Amino acid sequence: HGLATILVLNSYTSTAPKSIQYTWLERQLQLAAHPNQRTVTPWIVVVFHCPFHTTFHGHNNEENPRLMMYHMEPLFRKYGVNLVFS
């Protein structure tokens, strides 16, 4: 245990509600955001490959990152994710 909960996601699998990844992420965020847990590990960090916003032409307008942002960014906000690396 440390000061951060770090969650690593796959940018190339389904991120739709009811998908395995979405369900897993929501459960992990619920646990991490619980007030008792948040006092122990105050930072929630999410990591994944494809950025939501980029000027790099190799990832510009890719469907998976757009869908991931559409489905998962609301969870990041709801559960108070502090930092996202992509």
Side-chain angles (χ1 to χ4, degrees), residues 4-86:
T5 298
I6 302 172
L7 305 171
V8 180
L9 303 175
N10 185 337
S11 297
Y12 296 107
T13 60
S14 178
T15 58
K18 308 286 185 198
S19 70
I20 292 170
Q21 183 168 219
Y22 183 98
T23 303
W24 175 84
L25 175 63
E26 184 164 38
R27 181 65 183 139
Q28 295 307 307
L29 290 173
Q30 287 170 346
L31 293 170
H34 188 278
N36 292 341
Q37 183 63 28
R38 204 67 191 247
T39 59
V40 176
T41 53
W43 291 89
I44 300 175
V45 179
V46 176
V47 180
F48 51 89
H49 175 65
C50 295
F52 290 165
H53 307 283
T54 184
T55 58
F56 177 61
H57 296 289
H59 288 298
N60 216 6
N61 295 318
E62 278 189 318
E63 182 179 21
N64 285 13
R66 283 196 328 264
L67 289 172
M68 187 179 205
M69 181 174 72
Y70 178 77
H71 296 304
M72 294 190 162
E73 187 175 26
L75 291 178
F76 299 168
R77 293 179 185 277
K78 178 178 180 179
Y79 293 104
V81 170
N82 300 98
L83 188 62
V84 174
F85 286 111
S86 62

